[in-house]
Structures are given as structure tokens and as C-alpha cells.
Amino acid sequence: MTTTEMWCDRCGEPASAAHPGCAAARQLEPPRFCPQCRRRMKVQVLPVGWSAVCVEHGEMRG
């Protein structure tokens, strides 16, 4: 399945809509959903940052 739609990485809803609450929360929290496929990611918060892993698209760090 190929899709070009992007997803909010905090709530998992379509990114085409405004998400002011998500934008504010993302300044303090790591992503929870993959923005490419909407899958819930495995997130680990570390003292020096965070890592989030999507089984389809791999790891992100921040």
C-alpha cells in the first residue's frame, strides 16, 4: 500500500488539519506515531534525548 498522506506524529490523525495542541506538546514530548504510516512507535526517553522506532520505517532520534 502506497500513500502520500502524512500523519500527526503525536495523535495519529491526518497532518493536513491544524493541531495546535499537538504542536505545543511536541516541544516537550517525543513522537508517538510514525508520520509516514500512522503506526504506533516504540519510544524510549533518555536523559540526553529520545528514540522512536517504527517497524516499517526505522528509527528517529531527537
Side-chain angles (χ1 to χ4, degrees), residues 1-39:
M1 178 171 119
T2 303
T3 180
T4 58
E5 184 166 15
M6 296 299 286
W7 306 95
C8 176
D9 62 3
R10 181 169 180 266
C11 69
E13 295 300 315
S16 57
H19 296 259
C22 292
R26 279 289 287 120
Q27 294 180 13
L28 302 173
E29 298 177 10
R32 302 294 176 184
F33 292 88
C34 178
Q36 295 176 27
C37 67
R38 198 182 189 184
R39 282 186 171 93

Side-chain angles (χ1 to χ4, degrees), residues 35-56:
Q36 295 176 27
C37 67
R38 198 182 189 184
R39 282 186 171 93
R40 187 94 166 141
M41 295 191 293
K42 181 178 95 175
V43 178
Q44 183 175 17
V45 178
L46 307 167
V48 295
W50 53 264
S51 68
V53 180
C54 171
V55 297
E56 184 73 22

